[in-house]
PDB file of all heavy atoms in Angstrom:
ATOM      1  N   SER E 230    -118.027  63.335  18.695  1.00  0.00           N
ATOM      2  CA  SER E 230    -117.222  62.214  19.187  1.00  0.00           C
ATOM      3  C   SER E 230    -115.845  62.301  18.554  1.00  0.00           C
ATOM      4  O   SER E 230    -115.654  62.942  17.520  1.00  0.00           O
ATOM      5  CB  SER E 230    -117.868  60.865  18.854  1.00  0.00           C
ATOM      6  OG  SER E 230    -117.687  60.540  17.496  1.00  0.00           O
ATOM      7  N   ARG E 231    -114.887  61.616  19.140  1.00  0.00           N
ATOM      8  CA  ARG E 231    -113.516  61.638  18.631  1.00  0.00           C
ATOM      9  C   ARG E 231    -113.387  60.881  17.323  1.00  0.00           C
ATOM     10  O   ARG E 231    -112.443  61.109  16.563  1.00  0.00           O
ATOM     11  CB  ARG E 231    -112.571  61.041  19.666  1.00  0.00           C
ATOM     12  CG  ARG E 231    -112.470  61.833  20.967  1.00  0.00           C
ATOM     13  CD  ARG E 231    -111.498  61.183  21.917  1.00  0.00           C
ATOM     14  NE  ARG E 231    -110.152  61.119  21.362  1.00  0.00           N
ATOM     15  CZ  ARG E 231    -109.127  60.495  21.957  1.00  0.00           C
ATOM     16  NH1 ARG E 231    -109.314  59.877  23.116  1.00  0.00           N
ATOM     17  NH2 ARG E 231    -107.940  60.492  21.398  1.00  0.00           N
ATOM     18  N   THR E 232    -114.304  59.975  17.080  1.00  0.00           N
ATOM     19  CA  THR E 232    -114.201  59.137  15.880  1.00  0.00           C
ATOM     20  C   THR E 232    -115.120  59.593  14.755  1.00  0.00           C
ATOM     21  O   THR E 232    -115.142  58.979  13.694  1.00  0.00           O
ATOM     22  CB  THR E 232    -114.548  57.675  16.229  1.00  0.00           C
ATOM     23  OG1 THR E 232    -115.887  57.614  16.741  1.00  0.00           O
ATOM     24  CG2 THR E 232    -113.578  57.126  17.271  1.00  0.00           C
ATOM     25  N   LEU E 233    -115.884  60.667  14.970  1.00  0.00           N
ATOM     26  CA  LEU E 233    -116.868  61.065  13.971  1.00  0.00           C
ATOM     27  C   LEU E 233    -116.221  61.456  12.645  1.00  0.00           C
ATOM     28  O   LEU E 233    -116.721  61.109  11.572  1.00  0.00           O
ATOM     29  CB  LEU E 233    -117.715  62.219  14.502  1.00  0.00           C
ATOM     30  CG  LEU E 233    -118.815  62.719  13.569  1.00  0.00           C
ATOM     31  CD1 LEU E 233    -119.768  61.592  13.204  1.00  0.00           C
ATOM     32  CD2 LEU E 233    -119.572  63.874  14.217  1.00  0.00           C
ATOM     33  N   SER E 234    -115.100  62.163  12.697  1.00  0.00           N
ATOM     34  CA  SER E 234    -114.467  62.589  11.455  1.00  0.00           C
ATOM     35  C   SER E 234    -114.053  61.386  10.616  1.00  0.00           C
ATOM     36  O   SER E 234    -114.210  61.384   9.384  1.00  0.00           O
ATOM     37  CB  SER E 234    -113.263  63.495  11.751  1.00  0.00           C
ATOM     38  OG  SER E 234    -112.304  62.801  12.545  1.00  0.00           O
ATOM     39  N   LYS E 235    -113.528  60.356  11.259  1.00  0.00           N
ATOM     40  CA  LYS E 235    -113.133  59.162  10.507  1.00  0.00           C
ATOM     41  C   LYS E 235    -114.360  58.419   9.988  1.00  0.00           C
ATOM     42  O   LYS E 235    -114.338  57.855   8.887  1.00  0.00           O
ATOM     43  CB  LYS E 235    -112.271  58.238  11.353  1.00  0.00           C
ATOM     44  CG  LYS E 235    -111.691  57.085  10.536  1.00  0.00           C
ATOM     45  CD  LYS E 235    -110.634  56.321  11.304  1.00  0.00           C
ATOM     46  CE  LYS E 235    -109.997  55.243  10.420  1.00  0.00           C
ATOM     47  NZ  LYS E 235    -108.950  54.478  11.134  1.00  0.00           N
ATOM     48  N   SER E 236    -115.444  58.413  10.763  1.00  0.00           N
ATOM     49  CA  SER E 236    -116.673  57.770  10.292  1.00  0.00           C
ATOM     50  C   SER E 236    -117.172  58.435   9.014  1.00  0.00           C
ATOM     51  O   SER E 236    -117.618  57.761   8.082  1.00  0.00           O
ATOM     52  CB  SER E 236    -117.757  57.833  11.369  1.00  0.00           C
ATOM     53  OG  SER E 236    -117.389  57.069  12.492  1.00  0.00           O
ATOM     54  N   ILE E 237    -117.087  59.765   8.960  1.00  0.00           N
ATOM     55  CA  ILE E 237    -117.486  60.474   7.744  1.00  0.00           C
ATOM     56  C   ILE E 237    -116.550  60.115   6.594  1.00  0.00           C
ATOM     57  O   ILE E 237    -116.996  59.847   5.469  1.00  0.00           O
ATOM     58  CB  ILE E 237    -117.501  61.989   8.003  1.00  0.00           C
ATOM     59  CG1 ILE E 237    -118.624  62.339   8.991  1.00  0.00           C
ATOM     60  CG2 ILE E 237    -117.666  62.760   6.697  1.00  0.00           C
ATOM     61  CD1 ILE E 237    -118.612  63.781   9.450  1.00  0.00           C
ATOM     62  N   ALA E 238    -115.258  60.077   6.864  1.00  0.00           N
ATOM     63  CA  ALA E 238    -114.286  59.730   5.821  1.00  0.00           C
ATOM     64  C   ALA E 238    -114.483  58.309   5.309  1.00  0.00           C
ATOM     65  O   ALA E 238    -114.141  57.996   4.165  1.00  0.00           O
ATOM     66  CB  ALA E 238    -112.869  59.910   6.344  1.00  0.00           C
TER      67      ALA E 238
END
Side-chain angles (χ1 to χ4, degrees):
S230 76
R231 295 181 61 186
T232 60
L233 181 58
S234 60
K235 188 169 184 180
S236 294
I237 293 173

